[in-house]
Every structure is written in C-alpha cells, then in structure tokens.
Amino acid sequence: MRVALFSSQRYDRDSFSFVNDAFGHDLVFLEPRLSQESVALARGFPGVCVFVNDQVDAPVLRALHDDGTRLVLLRSAGFNQIDIEEAARLGIAVARVPEYSPHAVTEHTIGLILSLDRKIHRAFNRGREGNFSLDGLLGFDLHGKTVGIVGTGRIGKVVVRILRGFGCRLLLHDPFPDRALEGDDARYVAMEDLLEESDVVTLHCPLTPQTRHLIDVVALRRMKPGVMLINTSRGPLLDTRAVIEALKTRHIGSLGLDVYEEEGDLFFRDLSDQVITDDVFTRLLTFPNVLVTSHQAFFTREALHNIATTTLGNAAAFERNEPSGNEVLPAAVRRG
Ligand code: NAI
C-alpha cells in the first residue's frame, strides 16, 4: 500500500524502513504535521500514517477522503487526535497500535518519580558546576508511601507491578476495575479518596471528553499538600494553569510531565535558538520541582520496532480486507 507518513522523524524512517523489508509497502516520509494546511500532501495516498500531534479532525478527514485516502494508521496507542465518528461516517478505516511497550512508558514514569523525589536532575546540574552540596536535595523513601494510579489498563498494570516492588501502598481508580490487581497493598477506591490519600498521583488513563482537565482546581484542592503529580498520558488531562497556581502555593510538591496541553507546537523539535512564546509552558520550566520531558516515554528501541511492525501489519490486513484487531471504532471513544 502507498502510505504517507506525517510527522516523520529520522528514527521513524529508520525503524519503518527496516521493518518494511518484510511488507513491501510504498512508504513516503513527510516531515510536516498533518493539518488543514498540509493535508494536500496526502493527495492520492490510500494510506496516511500519523503520530500523536497530527491533527486529524473532521475538515482534515473530509479533505483526505476527497483525495482518495481510505485508511488512517495511528502509530500511537492513544487516539484522541482523530475524530473517529467522522472517519466512520466517511468510511475511512482507522487502526492504531494498542500495545507496543507498556514497559517503556512505565519505566519512564518511574524515572520521573525517582528523579523528582531524589532530585537527580538538580544534582546532575550542580555537579557539573562543582557544587556538591546536598542542601535542597532531600528526598523521601518511596517505600511505604501511598501512590494513586489513575487508569489500570496496559500501562497502569505495569506501574502497579513495579511500585509493588518498591513496597508502596497502591490506590487504584478505573471505571473498569481489574480486581485481580487488588491485594493487601492495592485496592480500588473512588477518585476523591485516591486524591485525598495519595503522596504520589500518576495518570494512566486516555484523553476523552470525560477526562479532559481531570485534574482541575477542585481535584487539586483535594490532593495532599506536597503531593507529587505525574502525567505521562496526555497533556489535557491537567488544567495546566491551575497546576501552576498549585505549584506557586506549594500545594503541589513536585510535578513530572512527559506531555503538555499545547505540546503540538513545541515537542519533537529543536527550538533551542528560537523564542518560545507559550508563557504557560515557559513558566513551568522555571520551577525547580518540575521535570518536563518532551513526549519521550514511548521512545525505546523495542517500542519503535513494535510500532512499525504493528502499523505496517495493520496496512497489510486492510489491503487483504481482513480485520487486524487494531481497528478504532466509535464505540471505543465513548468507552474511553
Ligand atoms: P489502556 O486503554 O490499556 O488503559 C487505559 C485505562 O484507563 C483503561 O483501563 C480505562 O478503563 C481507564 N480509564 C478510562 N477513563 C478513566 C477515568 N476517567 N479514570 C480512570 N481510568 C480511566 O491504555 P494504556 O495503553 O494503558 O495507555 C494509557 C494512556 O497512556 C494512553 O491513552 C495514552 O494517552 C498514554 N500513552 C502515552 C505515551 C507516551 O509516550 N507518553 C505512550 C503510550 C501511551
């Protein structure tokens, strides 16, 4: 199948080209993000492949449809960037990569927790300037702390398993609980209880209309003073402005982000010689207790290989008119 890959980076080209030897698709790598401005680049491609910050809304889908696209391949697990209902109306099939490495995202999440707790990012910077003082680097034992895990799907489950090893008490919240995860050290609770009792809160639920600004002023007020908040899922799960206010009053003790509400204009690019005009984002970067990575939790060799293999397999299944099992249907959006 002839496929245009939007938002392609060098590593996408490498992993997809390597895996494609076994598939033989005709792949065209495009650097621009898919949007109403760039959609004309997809003209004549039956397959279009997109990543997390491509904009696949109704007008873009209509333009794709008019120009002959019949399949949108998401090289991500999340599918909040696409209007699934509109795709279904137009008869455009959508397939994603539901599981490429829950370990990659979990391990990055744990990395953020440990770095923020033990201030490894600050120690690194200090050491390079010859400052070996421990002042300001005091952490806490993760052992015995209460961690709230919001969303116990593929990634949340691995988070549970790893934090068990640290000896944490785990509070879980998910509209579809997996009771097998419960035990002496883990139980499902209402969201309110999770927020009120947790020393660390980590988000692993998808972005849906119901979860947008899940952590807002009201939720923040419920949280323990000094709480550590981690978001490696999707930026809009947090009301970033409200979070900044909570950082200023020190109600939030530390914040680890791999995603940001307006990351589309920032992440996956080198902006080091440019002026960043997003004042909310730059304010976040000024806090010593905030650690931001630019949507890299997925970024391991294993994950890239699995993303390419599943995506190209999804295209092959579509061509054979067979289900891949990875189709995204409107019902999935409503379930969240
Ligand atoms: P999943 O679909 O396996 O699990 C999501 C879980 O969240 C489900 O169990 C669902 O019932 C639950 N959920 C839905 N609404 C909820 C709510 N209001 N409160 C609590 N739980 C709720 O998804 P998976 O693979 O675990 O991924 C989770 C999210 O991680 C993805 O949706 C994606 O946004 C994000 N992600 C981020 C990556 C990164 O590089 N930073 C990479 C991959 C995924």
Side-chain angles (χ1 to χ4, degrees):
M1 173 177 256
R2 199 150 184 267
V3 182
L5 292 92
F6 282 84
S7 299
S8 290
Q9 302 280 350
R10 186 170 47 80
Y11 45 81
D12 296 310
R13 200 177 295 251
D14 292 348
S15 60
F16 273 81
S17 299
F18 177 76
V19 171
N20 194 40
D21 281 348
F23 286 94
H25 295 297
D26 179 5
L27 305 182
V28 175
F29 296 94
L30 304 170
E31 278 179 33
R33 269 200 290 155
L34 178 60
S35 66
Q36 289 187 52
E37 287 71 45
S38 65
V39 68
L41 293 170
R43 187 165 296 148
F45 283 90
V48 160
C49 182
V50 300
F51 197 46
V52 292
N53 291 326
D54 289 297
Q55 181 191 339
V56 205
D57 56 13
V60 167
L61 283 164
R62 284 196 286 269
L64 287 174
H65 180 263
D66 290 349
D67 285 342
T69 297
R70 294 295 173 260
L71 173 66
V72 175
L73 298 157
L74 310 178
R75 41 184 205 278
S76 59
F79 45 85
N80 51 285
Q81 71 274 50
I82 182 162
D83 184 336
I84 296 294
E85 310 261 354
E86 184 65 14
R89 259 194 299 278
L90 293 166
I92 295 181
V94 180
R96 64 173 179 140
V97 188
E99 175 167 334
Y100 47 83
S101 177
H103 306 287
V105 182
T106 302
E107 290 166 15
H108 193 81
T109 302
I110 304 297
L112 288 177
I113 294 174
L114 292 176
S115 301
L116 281 166
D117 172 16
R118 307 306 299 270
K119 285 121 185 128
I120 295 169
H121 55 305
R122 299 189 63 199
F124 173 79
N125 284 332
R126 278 184 187 191
R128 292 171 75 90
E129 302 222 330
N131 175 357
F132 305 111
S133 151
L134 298 186
D135 264 353
L137 301 184
L138 188 64
F140 56 80
D141 283 11
L142 200 48
H143 178 88
K145 292 294 177 296
T146 300
V147 182
I149 300 171
V150 181
T152 55
R154 294 176 184 85
I155 295 168
K157 280 187 179 57
V158 185
V159 175
V160 168
R161 216 159 53 222
I162 292 183
L163 288 179
R164 275 206 156 113
F166 278 94
C168 296
R169 171 180 172 246
L170 305 175
L171 299 180
L172 319 176
H173 179 75
D174 195 306
F176 300 94
D178 176 356
R179 296 289 169 195
L181 292 176
E182 290 187 309
D184 291 346
D185 55 355
R187 64 194 166 90
Y188 280 96
V189 295
M191 186 67 180
E192 291 75 14
D193 296 333
L194 181 151
L195 294 174
E196 282 167 14
E197 291 180 41
S198 298
D199 302 297
V200 177
V201 172
T202 182
L203 306 178
H204 301 289
C205 58
L207 174 62
T208 64
Q210 294 76 37
T211 60
R212 181 173 293 272
H213 287 189
L214 181 72
I215 304 297
D216 59 5
V217 177
V218 178
L220 287 164
R221 245 184 246 134
R222 282 190 189 277
M223 293 166 94
K224 270 187 172 178
V227 64
M228 178 189 289
L229 176 61
I230 305 288
N231 185 11
T232 58
S233 281
R234 285 293 179 265
L237 295 178
L238 302 186
D239 177 347
T240 313
R241 285 187 164 78
V243 167
I244 287 175
E245 288 312 308
L247 281 161
K248 283 158 72 175
T249 61
R250 296 172 175 71
H251 189 72
I252 292 185
S254 52
L255 174 71
L257 298 181
D258 187 50
V259 286
Y260 167 62
E261 277 191 279
E262 306 297 334
E263 69 178 51
D265 291 329
L266 297 165
F267 288 1
F268 308 124
R269 280 183 275 169
D270 179 359
L271 302 178
S272 54
D273 63 352
Q274 294 189 31
V275 173
I276 295 176
T277 53
D278 181 335
D279 292 344
V280 175
F281 185 68
T282 51
R283 182 69 180 98
L284 276 178
L285 298 182
T286 65
F287 293 99
N289 49 350
V290 173
L291 185 47
V292 179
T293 53
S294 44
H295 211 133
Q296 74 176 75
F298 76 99
F299 196 51
T300 65
R301 269 193 294 278
E302 292 79 2
L304 285 186
H305 182 81
N306 293 340
I307 288 170
T309 305
T310 304
T311 304
L312 297 178
N314 289 344
F318 179 84
E319 278 189 309
R320 293 193 306 267
N321 212 9
E322 289 172 6
S324 63
N326 299 325
E327 293 80 9
V328 189
L329 304 170
V333 182
R334 289 192 282 272
R335 180 182 182 270

